[in-house]
């Protein structure tokens, strides 16, 4: 029986496993986007509750807060217990907590259920991407990471439309879509396996020792870059209405159209990243390019007052973010061995999601410091993104020079 188990553990993963694991990102995407159209009706339903407006918004965003705070711990547990077990557990918890607002009548209870969604989402995202890193290597892994970025971007538009259609009937209806997790649970049970099994705690400890010391400072550097990249990525998502209004386009529909058109460029950027990697362009160089494109997009959005050029700025920005998201995740997964990959994935997600509240807070601070103009703030953030690109390029050049010097010395 153990021989059969060991053979199963080392089965060769194929496209089916890769597509399934990246498709799990749909559940994360819908956590906020699907419910956003229901916010006004939900606020109206709980109008009698003190602070209802803030509480309803918090119910939407608290899963992302859970991911930001809990992902490092989830990564450590995943490295100890195993990827698939926790992935299955999260897919059981996800529909239970996700569909709870269908019948809960108390706003506090709904927020508690949303925190449950956040915990499940934290484990789900960390475990699925860690498994992807275990199953696949090099260009094959990067192909699926690019696919992950594309799926997340395109599905956001679809979920927004679905959420709007369901919310028009009743604000509770979008929560029913969380039952979709059951389909993914059955697929994970049928088509995946634990990437690698350690039969005892001692064997796991020995494997960690053999892997060498945990590259803490290298991972910390990537996490800092990820926070910066997350801020650049999130800024137009949060402030698209503000920047559009500053140019005289005050209709929410116009802002939504700019965002929708721009979001199509993100999977194109992810695909282009994958093609450049096939030509042996370094991941770090593509991350530098991502910051240049992201910064150029923000500056274009600030500078151009016509609708076509404002939209062009959004397209440039989102194209660069296709590089950004794929590149940073590729960088993290390529840095770590199996024994530490869960920790690295958890650290990445924590860094990326903590950038969401930081982005909104920083924008307000910078805008006030620069006289209150959102256009000036966009210039500042765009210039800062390009400055980060320059610093990364300089550091990359110094590291390459040191490695060449070390090789020549040997």
């Amino acid at each position: 029986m153990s021989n059969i188990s060991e053979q199963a553990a080392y089965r060769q993963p194929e496209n089916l496993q890769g597509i399934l694991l990246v498709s799990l990102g749909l559940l994360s995407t819908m956590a906020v986007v699907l419910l956003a159209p229901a916010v006004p009706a939900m606020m109206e339903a709980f109008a009698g509750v003190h602070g209802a407006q803030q509480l309803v918004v918090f119910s939407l965003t608290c899963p992302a807060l859970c991911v930001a705070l809990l992902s490092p711990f989830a990564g450590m547990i995943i490295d100890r217990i195993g990827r698939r077990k926790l992935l299955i557990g999260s897919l059981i918890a996800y529909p239970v907590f996700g569909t709870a607002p269908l019948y809960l009548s108390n706003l506090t209870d709904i927020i508690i259920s949303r925190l449950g969604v956040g915990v499940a989402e934290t484990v789900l995202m960390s475990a699925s991407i860690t498994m992807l890193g275990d199953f696949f290597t090099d260009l094959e892994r990067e192909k699926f990471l690019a696919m992950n970025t594309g799926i997340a971007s395109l599905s956001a538009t679809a979920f927004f439309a679905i959420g709007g259609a369901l919310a028009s009937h009743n604000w509770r209806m979008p929560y029913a879509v969380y039952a979709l997790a059951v389909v993914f649970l059955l697929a994970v049970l049928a088509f995946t396996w634990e990437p690698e099994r350690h039969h005892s705690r001692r064997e796991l400890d020995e494997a960690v020792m053999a892997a060498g010391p945990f590259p803490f400072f290298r991972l910390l550097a990537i996490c800092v870059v990820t926070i910066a990249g997350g801020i650049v990525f999130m800024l137009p998502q949060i402030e698209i209405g503000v920047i559009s209004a500053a140019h005289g386009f005050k209709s929410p529909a116009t802002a939504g159209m700019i965002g929708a058109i721009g979001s199509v460029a993100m999977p194109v950027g992810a695909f282009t990243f994958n093609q450049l990697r096939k030509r042996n362009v370094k991941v770090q160089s593509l991350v530098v390019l991502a910051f240049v494109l992201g910064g150029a997009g923000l500056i274009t959005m600030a500078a151009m007052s016509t609708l076509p050029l404002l939209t062009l700025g959004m397209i440039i920005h989102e194209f660069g973010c296709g590089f950004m998201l794929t590149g940073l995740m590729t960088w993290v997964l390529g840095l770590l061995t199996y024994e530490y990959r869960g920790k690295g994935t958890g650290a990445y997600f924590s860094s990326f999601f903590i950038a969401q509240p930081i982005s909104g807070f920083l924008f307000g601070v910078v805008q006030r410091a620069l006289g209150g103009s959102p256009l000036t703030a966009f210039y500042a953030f765009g210039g800062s993104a390009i400055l980060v690109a320059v610093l990364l390029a300089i550091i990359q050049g110094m590291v390459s020079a040191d490695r060449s010097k070390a090789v020549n010395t040997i």
Side-chain angles (χ1 to χ4, degrees):
M1 193 70 183
S2 64
N3 289 337
I4 295 174
S5 173
E6 289 178 10
Q7 288 174 3
Y10 291 95
R11 281 182 290 175
Q12 182 66 37
E14 299 177 352
N15 284 338
L16 174 62
Q17 283 71 41
I19 293 171
L20 173 58
L21 289 172
V22 299
S23 296
L24 290 171
L26 291 171
L27 299 177
S28 172
T29 302
M30 75 183 191
V32 174
V33 176
L34 181 72
L35 306 178
V39 168
M42 195 173 174
M43 288 179 177
E44 185 178 343
F46 292 103
V49 178
H50 179 69
Q53 185 171 351
Q54 291 77 20
L55 291 173
V56 168
V57 172
F58 179 71
S59 73
L60 260 69
T61 58
C62 64
L65 181 62
C66 289
V67 175
L69 296 177
L70 301 179
S71 287
F73 305 103
M76 288 187 282
I77 296 170
I78 286 167
D79 280 338
R80 280 290 175 184
I81 295 177
R83 286 73 154 125
R84 188 170 181 267
K85 293 176 186 176
L86 291 173
L87 180 59
I88 291 170
S90 69
L91 286 170
I92 293 172
Y94 209 86
V96 172
F97 289 109
T99 59
L102 286 172
Y103 54 83
L104 293 175
S105 58
N106 185 288
L107 185 54
T108 301
D109 292 339
I110 290 175
I111 290 174
I112 292 171
S113 74
R114 296 292 293 163
L115 290 170
V117 168
V119 174
E121 183 181 342
T122 301
V123 177
L124 185 151
M125 293 174 64
S126 296
S128 61
I129 295 298
T130 301
M131 283 182 70
L132 189 74
D134 295 335
F135 277 158
F136 302 99
T137 59
D138 301 328
L139 292 177
E140 195 171 18
R141 176 196 293 163
E142 292 167 20
K143 174 184 72 176
F144 290 116
L145 291 175
M147 190 183 299
N148 179 72
T149 302
I151 288 174
S153 177
L154 295 176
S155 65
T157 303
F159 278 132
F160 192 86
I162 293 169
L166 293 174
S168 65
H169 296 285
N170 188 297
W171 67 265
R172 296 182 186 271
M173 290 302 295
Y175 290 96
V177 182
Y178 277 85
L180 179 66
V182 175
V183 177
F184 284 108
L185 171 62
L186 297 176
V188 167
L189 289 170
F191 301 116
T192 69
W193 56 91
E194 191 69 35
E196 183 176 337
R197 294 181 182 168
H198 300 285
H199 298 288
S200 69
R201 177 68 174 268
R202 187 191 67 182
E203 287 180 341
L204 177 56
D205 290 336
E206 289 174 353
V208 170
M209 291 292 291
F214 181 67
F216 175 81
F217 290 106
R218 289 176 65 192
L219 181 60
L220 178 62
I222 296 175
C223 288
V224 171
V225 175
T226 299
I227 292 173
I231 291 170
V232 172
F233 168 72
M234 285 305 303
L235 191 63
Q237 320 297 327
I238 298 172
E239 307 294 345
I240 183 63
V242 173
I243 197 72
S244 299
H247 284 301
F249 307 106
K250 298 183 179 180
S251 168
T254 301
M257 180 194 70
I258 294 170
I261 293 173
S263 67
V264 176
M266 190 182 296
V268 178
F271 174 79
T272 305
F273 174 95
N274 188 243
Q275 296 304 305
L276 291 172
R277 285 291 295 141
K278 289 180 180 178
R279 290 164 174 76
N280 295 320
V281 180
K282 291 182 179 179
V283 173
Q284 293 86 341
S285 299
L286 294 176
V287 171
V288 169
L289 179 59
F291 275 97
V292 171
L293 290 169
L298 294 178
I299 291 172
T300 302
M301 292 179 74
M304 302 302 177
S305 58
T306 66
L307 188 58
L309 291 176
L310 177 59
T311 305
L312 175 63
M314 188 69 175
I315 290 171
I316 294 170
H317 176 272
E318 296 296 284
F319 180 75
C321 286
F323 281 70
M324 184 86 72
L325 301 189
T326 310
L328 291 171
M329 203 176 295
T330 299
W331 198 356
V332 168
L333 290 179
L335 172 68
L336 302 168
T337 60
Y338 174 91
E339 289 73 22
Y340 297 131
R341 193 166 287 130
K343 293 185 184 70
T345 304
Y348 165 81
F349 281 121
S350 179
S351 303
F352 183 75
F353 276 83
I354 202 67
Q356 293 188 22
I358 291 175
S359 179
F361 173 76
L362 271 182
F363 182 78
V365 172
V366 172
Q367 184 178 348
R368 287 190 296 272
L370 296 178
S373 170
L375 299 180
T376 305
F378 260 61
Y379 277 120
F381 277 95
S384 298
I386 293 174
L387 178 61
V388 170
V390 172
L391 292 174
L392 287 175
I394 292 172
I395 293 170
Q396 181 182 337
M398 292 171 63
V399 170
S400 297
D402 287 344
R403 286 177 180 170
S404 299
K405 186 176 180 181
V407 170
N408 291 334
T409 302
I410 293 172

